[in-house]
Amino acid sequence: MVFAPGDEPRNELEEVKLQNASKQIVQNAILQAVRQVSQESLRREGRSGDCRARGELGVRELTKKHEKK
């Protein structure tokens, strides 16, 4: 690895900690986005009809698609 003048190489343990922290931040952001999209979808479905019935239909359709493969 090449370092600019005045830069010191980071301790490997520190680098691993930073990488793990970065991964955790990304995972949390993705999880939050998925939750938000799911909540918005449920709200939209709730406006157009019974969301439980629509959700069950969606699960069945997904299962059938995977079985065909």
Side-chain angles (χ1 to χ4, degrees):
M1 184 177 261
V2 178
F3 296 97
D7 284 346
E8 295 179 18
R10 285 194 176 135
N11 183 344
E12 275 189 51
L13 183 58
E14 183 181 339
E15 188 68 31
V16 169
K17 286 180 182 179
L18 288 172
Q19 288 176 355
N20 289 339
S22 295
K23 287 178 186 178
Q24 188 64 47
I25 289 168
V26 170
Q27 288 174 348
N28 288 344
I30 292 170
L31 183 59
Q32 183 179 0
V34 168
R35 284 181 182 155
Q36 183 177 352
V37 169
S38 296
Q39 288 173 353
E40 290 172 1
S41 295
L42 288 173
R43 282 189 206 119
R44 277 188 234 118
E45 287 178 4
R47 290 183 199 143
S48 10
D50 182 15
C51 38
R52 282 182 293 165
R54 298 182 116 222
E56 289 172 10
L57 178 63
V59 169
R60 277 189 242 130
E61 288 174 354
L62 286 174
T63 304
K64 288 178 185 177
K65 286 180 184 177
H66 289 337
E67 289 173 355
K68 289 179 183 178
K69 290 184 180 179

